[in-house]
């Protein structure tokens, strides 16, 4: 199999750092009909002190409450007037705010995102939004899949900061003050710890001038991240909830980091084992109606990584499903075949290209890559790396990361 970009898009990468340390990066595509602009901040729940866990996600909400110039009504109105596709996300390791607009709105979108990243954090808005956050936490606690994920992350990472919830515990949010949020924002949300990213129809010199105009006076921050090594060990925990009628299982085991070139091979291996269609888990568990859902995936974290398995089953078949899943993880080490590796590579290649065809997809990929590694990877580079993966690459990877030690957390209707 030989996959390639038949008509390589005329993509140009450029980078400039402003005097205050703000990185401005862009991948210009002359054939694009829109521009995506994102502001990526190298902070998330792993960077929070335990006493203020959840503040990054809470801040995401507060950004949309307005700046000194704009109210929350203005924020949404201005985005809507541009016809923007806009959103934000918070993870364990980064937060991002972005908009996809027509090129004629480049200036207005840049200005508006800049105001978004300088929130007023008004006390009245803070108090109101705290209630929204607490409702969101309660909603997620009603989701058994989310509950088992949060508990599995906490058990797997233990004292490591990646164990902290993105949403935070309800009691922490209740106790959080506006002053604590303001101090956290001042420490981490600024040049030196963030990048402004544009993709699509970008005039880079003009874009840099816009970023300089709206962000050039932002103070630089010194926001180092701690990198303790996780203390991995086999762990198992069972939880019960009599309201449930299904059984949920999650397992975590070490994998390559976001800096490890083998993360591409880990993605291929995960597809072979646990993609939603045509994978080993699918045929062994879902097709045979032993599990309703059976996934195996990969999370590349900053300087560490995780494989995960996730099962949803009838409570009476939970043990059987887990034994089959663990058996498949052992079997793949010895009977991996060329055809399934090629199928996985083809699916991932399609995903990379389809995502790369739209500025919004490239913006998210480039922004995340820059925060983790301060490097730019073209579509051609990603495709070449994918093309070079062989079954032997995956066998070597499994020797280095043999799906152990594993943390397993179960949640079902029975007794814990």
């Amino acid at each position: 199999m030989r996959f390639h970009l038949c008509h390589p898009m005329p993509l140009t990468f450029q980078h400039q750092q402003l005097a205050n340390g703000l990185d401005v990066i862009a991948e210009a595509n002359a054939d694009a009909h829109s521009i995506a602009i994102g502001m990526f901040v190298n902070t998330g729940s792993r960077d929070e002190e335990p006493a203020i866990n959840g503040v990054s996600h809470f801040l995401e909400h507060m950004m949309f409450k307005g700046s000194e110039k704009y109210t929350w009504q203005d924020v949404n109105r201005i985005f809507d007037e541009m016809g923007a596709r806009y959103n934000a996300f918070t993870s364990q390791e980064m937060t991002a705010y972005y908009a996809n607009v027509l090129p004629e709105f480049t200036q207005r979108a840049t200005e508006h995102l800049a105001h978004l990243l300088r929130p007023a954090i008004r006390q009245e808005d803070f108090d109101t939004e705290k209630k929204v956050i607490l409702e969101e936490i309660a909603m997620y606690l009603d989701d058994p899949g989310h509950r088992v994920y949060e508990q599995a992350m906490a058990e797997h990472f233990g004292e490591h900061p990646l164990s902290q919830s993105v949403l935070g515990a309800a009691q922490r949010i209740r106790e959080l003050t506006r002053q604590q949020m303001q101090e956290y924002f001042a420490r981490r949300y600024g040049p030196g710890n963030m990048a402004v990213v544009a993709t699509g129809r970008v005039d880079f010199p003009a874009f840099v001038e816009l970023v300089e105009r709206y962000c050039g006076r932002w103070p630089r921050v010194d926001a180092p991240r701690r990198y303790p090594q996780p203390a991995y060990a086999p762990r198992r925990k069972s939880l019960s909830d009599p309201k449930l009628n299904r059984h949920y299982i999650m397992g975590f085991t070490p994998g390559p980091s976001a800096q490890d070139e083998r993360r591409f091979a880990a993605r291929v291996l995960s597809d072979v084992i646990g993609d939603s269609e045509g994978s080993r888990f699918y045929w062994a568990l879902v097709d045979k109606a032993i599990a309703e859902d059976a996934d195996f995936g990969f999370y590349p974290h900053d300087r560490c990584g995780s494989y995960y398995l996730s099962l949803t089953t009838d409570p009476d078949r939970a043990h059987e499903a887990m034994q089959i899943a663990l058996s498949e993880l052992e079997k793949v080490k010895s009977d991996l075949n060329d055809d399934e590796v090629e199928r996985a590579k083809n699916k991932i290649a399609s995903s990379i290209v389809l995502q790369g065809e739209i500025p919004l997809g490239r913006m998210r990929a480039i922004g995340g890559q820059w925060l983790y590694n301060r490097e730019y990877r073209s579509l051609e580079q990603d495709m070449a790396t994918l093309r070079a993966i062989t079954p032997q690459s995956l066998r070597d990877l499994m020797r280095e990361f043999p799906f152990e030690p594993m943390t397993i957390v179960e949640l079902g209707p029975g007794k814990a």
Side-chain angles (χ1 to χ4, degrees), residues 355-403:
Q355 182 188 52
E357 285 183 339
I358 57 173
L360 196 58
R362 282 301 287 165
M363 179 269 295
R364 291 190 60 155
I366 291 168
Q369 180 68 28
W370 187 264
L371 286 197
Y372 280 129
N373 297 322
R374 288 192 62 82
E375 73 169 2
Y376 165 74
R377 288 184 62 97
S378 68
L379 280 170
E380 287 79 7
Q381 284 175 293
D382 284 350
M383 295 290 278
T385 301
L386 183 62
R387 190 181 302 122
I389 293 169
T390 65
Q392 188 59 47
S393 304
L394 305 192
R395 285 188 280 269
D396 292 343
L397 179 66
M398 287 186 283
R399 276 194 291 272
E400 184 71 21
F401 298 97
F403 310 130

Side-chain angles (χ1 to χ4, degrees), residues 52-245:
I52 60 170
N53 180 214
V55 67
S56 302
H57 171 257
F58 196 158
L59 255 171
E60 178 193 321
H61 284 237
M62 292 304 298
M63 300 289 189
F64 288 90
K65 288 298 182 180
S67 62
E68 294 297 339
K69 181 178 179 180
Y70 296 119
T71 66
W72 67 266
Q73 294 99 329
D74 295 326
V75 170
N76 294 300
R77 173 183 56 79
I78 293 169
F79 275 131
D80 288 342
E81 286 174 355
M82 290 186 282
R85 292 179 59 191
Y86 65 98
N87 212 330
F89 66 84
T90 304
S91 73
Q92 286 95 350
E93 299 180 316
M94 72 177 72
T95 62
Y97 304 83
Y98 57 88
N100 192 186
V101 297
L102 296 177
E104 54 262 39
F105 294 115
T106 299
Q107 180 271 330
R108 197 176 186 195
T110 306
E111 177 190 17
H112 200 44
L113 285 167
H115 275 284
L116 205 70
L117 268 290
R118 299 292 102 176
I121 314 183
R122 302 176 184 91
Q123 185 68 53
E124 181 182 357
D125 291 333
F126 178 86
D127 294 339
T128 300
E129 205 61 26
K130 179 178 284 194
K131 298 173 186 175
V132 175
I133 298 292
L134 290 170
E135 289 175 2
E136 186 174 353
I137 291 171
M139 180 187 71
Y140 275 101
L141 287 176
D142 282 338
D143 177 356
H146 180 80
R147 285 164 62 190
V148 76
Y149 163 77
E150 293 258 291
Q151 189 63 53
M153 285 287 286
E155 294 291 326
H156 184 61
F157 284 104
E159 297 299 315
H160 190 280
L162 275 170
S163 66
Q164 296 197 131
S165 164
V166 172
L167 292 176
Q171 188 58 32
R172 296 291 194 200
I173 297 300
R174 290 190 191 99
E175 295 169 353
L176 186 70
T177 67
R178 177 195 173 280
Q179 182 64 28
Q180 287 175 309
M181 176 180 284
Q182 188 71 59
E183 290 171 355
Y184 177 78
F185 173 84
R187 288 197 304 270
R188 303 200 65 88
Y189 288 71
N193 200 45
M194 64 178 295
V196 180
V197 184
T199 53
R201 184 68 70 86
V202 184
D203 179 337
F204 188 68
F207 182 65
V208 171
E209 287 183 11
L210 290 172
V211 178
E212 175 69 52
R213 183 190 312 170
Y214 299 118
C215 311
R217 292 189 178 90
W218 290 1
R220 186 184 183 114
V221 301
D222 181 20
R225 172 171 286 166
R226 294 191 301 117
Y227 292 105
Q229 284 302 305
Y232 297 124
R235 298 182 178 93
R236 191 152 194 160
K237 187 167 188 174
S238 294
L239 307 170
S240 64
D241 183 340
K243 298 190 299 294
L244 299 178
N245 60 16

